[in-house]
Amino acid sequence: MKIGLLGFGVVGQGVYDLIASREDMSVVKVLCRKDVSLPGVQVTKDFNDILNDSDIDTVVEAIGGLHPAYEFVKAAIEAGKNVVTANKALVATFYDELIPLAKEKGLCFRCTAAVGGGIGWLSELERARRIQTIEKVGGIMNGTCNYILDSMTRLGFDYTNALKQAQELGYAEADPTTDVEGIDTWHKAILSSNVAFGICLDSATVPVAGISRIQATDVENFKAHGLVCKLISTGMFTKGKVSAYVQPTLVKFGEPESAVPANYNLITFVGSASGRMSFYGQGAGRYPTAYNVVQDCADVLLDKGFYSPCGEKVKAENTDFMRYYVRGEKDSWLEENTAETWGTAIISKPISVEAMHVWLKNHPEAFIAALAE
Ligand code: HSE
């Protein structure tokens, strides 16, 4: 396999290092804006050098972001090259275009590192869905958010210092807003639901709430009630209906999610035959992520295509009821829906996920967290 590697940042360099010692694949060209010198490899600033090289059969995209990653990946597929990427924003956003295009061209498209970094999540989901109905997917999918929430809970850090540390350790995306506002988890949840249920979720119907407004006083409140806050994604398929959302969630001390430390992820599916299966590992970082990119390259050598068929466009219906912790300005709707008070925050009566997120949109200063039942 001859690889054109797009990007030489945290993940790109990791991929390059892991492939360097292999005999079944080699990186022959690297697209990089900086002047780097790599033995035996042509480093270029022009994507066309890779696109027009007929010796290159596989493009590994490690640039991140939507543009120009989308244009490069689409052009690579149209030129007959397999694609491996860790870019969840790209795959979740252009799912119903890129997946069918690769299939039509008879090419492999893999993105295992896009969800869970080093965890073999999508590749196992592919196997899981072959022989059973997947009823639920989700869990802790963002290392940066988990690192922040864990530091606040276990070490008593405030939000700002915990975020700074996560950035210094290289877990956060270039713009940490994507992590802390839950967008990274949202992309991963959409992608996982698409693969698990064989659909193409309408992303506009998947609400997301992040952790950026959590305060040390919230964490103290949770601890006093035996609860831990985690950013949790949910995708469910019940009686032909799909629900999907991302939100801070309060889990009881002792539940598996409550014990997930640092940048680790814990991702779960529930299958009709297997029941609950959970996957734990490093969800971010150079070598864990590069590990799954190289696993995908090995799967391309075995001619493995995408994990599931690209199904029809489906709207999420988030009518499940749950109780919420809400700290924010009280209005008549919130007062009507208050069941009890925890310091300056309230615990709501059971309300639908949809209704809670509509209220949150109009109260951008508020912090909410669902109570896991
Ligand atoms: N910023 C992401 C995280 C990287 O913290 O999990 C992996 O997607």
Side-chain angles (χ1 to χ4, degrees):
M1 171 185 279
K2 292 209 180 336
I3 295 170
L5 175 61
L6 312 185
F8 203 64
V10 174
V11 176
Q13 281 187 44
V15 170
Y16 177 83
D17 290 348
L18 293 189
I19 289 179
S21 58
R22 297 187 66 89
E23 291 187 350
D24 55 349
M25 56 184 82
S26 58
V27 173
V28 294
K29 285 186 184 170
V30 173
L31 180 73
C32 180
R33 274 181 309 206
K34 289 190 204 132
D35 292 316
V36 288
S37 159
L38 300 168
V41 174
Q42 185 189 331
V43 180
T44 176
K45 292 185 172 63
D46 184 357
F47 171 64
N48 289 315
D49 287 338
I50 289 174
L51 187 67
N52 298 328
D53 185 337
S54 55
D55 277 353
I56 291 177
D57 51 83
T58 302
V59 162
V60 171
E61 185 274 312
I63 313 172
L66 288 182
H67 305 286
Y70 162 70
E71 288 75 13
F72 290 174
V73 161
K74 189 175 171 192
I77 299 172
E78 277 169 345
K81 299 184 195 302
N82 303 301
V83 168
V84 172
T85 177
N87 189 334
K88 51 261 156 187
L90 172 76
V91 187
T93 307
F94 296 104
Y95 195 83
D96 55 354
E97 183 181 353
L98 296 177
I99 308 313
L101 181 65
K103 188 160 196 267
E104 181 197 315
K105 298 273 179 191
L107 297 163
C108 303
F109 188 107
R110 306 281 296 177
C111 58
T112 308
V115 187
I119 304 171
W121 161 248
L122 289 179
S123 48
E124 189 53 34
L125 203 50
E126 174 179 26
R127 282 165 47 82
R129 71 180 305 284
R130 292 191 301 207
I131 59 159
Q132 62 179 345
T133 303
I134 304 294
E135 295 160 355
K136 189 173 179 183
V137 289
I140 297 171
M141 294 180 162
N142 184 273
T144 303
C145 288
N146 200 66
Y147 188 90
I148 293 169
L149 295 171
D150 185 45
S151 296
M152 291 180 79
T153 305
R154 282 194 309 123
L155 308 173
F157 278 49
D158 66 15
Y159 175 83
T160 311
N161 280 326
L163 168 62
K164 198 162 156 262
Q165 277 204 345
Q167 285 175 302
E168 281 164 11
L169 289 164
Y171 301 146
E173 300 289 315
D175 176 0
T177 314
T178 308
D179 292 299
V180 297
E181 297 303 349
I183 307 301
D184 177 79
T185 303
W186 181 71
H187 285 136
K188 291 167 177 171
I190 291 169
L191 183 47
S192 299
S193 298
N194 285 352
V195 169
F197 311 136
I199 57 168
C200 177
L201 258 180
D202 177 351
S203 59
T205 62
V206 181
V208 53
I211 64 159
S212 66
R213 289 182 298 277
I214 193 170
Q215 295 177 357
T217 51
D218 297 316
V219 174
E220 289 311 314
N221 235 338
F222 305 151
K223 274 187 181 171
H225 291 86
L227 298 168
V228 181
C229 184
K230 297 289 183 184
L231 184 67
I232 292 200
S233 66
T234 303
M236 269 190 294
F237 181 71
T238 345
K239 296 185 189 134
K241 188 192 97 177
V242 175
S243 54
Y245 42 88
V246 175
Q247 55 193 8
T249 303
L250 302 179
V251 292
K252 293 191 179 84
F253 274 112
E255 291 295 321
E257 282 77 8
S258 75
V260 175
N263 69 323
Y264 281 79
N265 287 188
L266 180 65
I267 315 181
T268 295
F269 70 73
V270 178
S272 53
S274 66
R276 176 178 176 156
M277 293 281 163
S278 290
F279 300 80
Y280 173 80
Q282 294 216 45
R286 170 173 290 169
Y287 289 111
T289 309
Y291 159 79
N292 255 335
V293 171
V294 181
Q295 283 282 18
D296 279 348
C297 291
D299 277 338
V300 170
L301 281 171
L302 297 172
D303 206 23
K304 289 188 93 174
F306 198 65
Y307 313 86
S308 69
C310 177
E312 60 183 36
K313 199 104 176 171
V314 167
K315 286 186 193 307
E317 296 174 60
N318 295 310
T319 49
D320 331 339
F321 275 60
M322 51 188 74
R323 294 183 303 142
Y324 283 90
Y325 172 97
V326 184
R327 181 182 41 72
E329 201 187 320
K330 291 185 184 67
D331 60 7
S332 57
W333 182 84
L334 200 57
E335 267 163 20
E336 267 165 39
N337 283 293
T338 296
E340 51 183 297
T341 304
W342 284 8
T344 56
I346 67 104
I347 299 298
S348 76
K349 296 173 186 166
I351 45 186
S352 76
V353 173
E354 192 177 344
M356 185 73 258
H357 282 262
V358 167
W359 181 88
L360 185 64
K361 263 214 162 78
N362 296 318
H363 295 79
E365 82 300 337
F367 173 74
I368 67 156
L371 275 88
E373 301 300 340

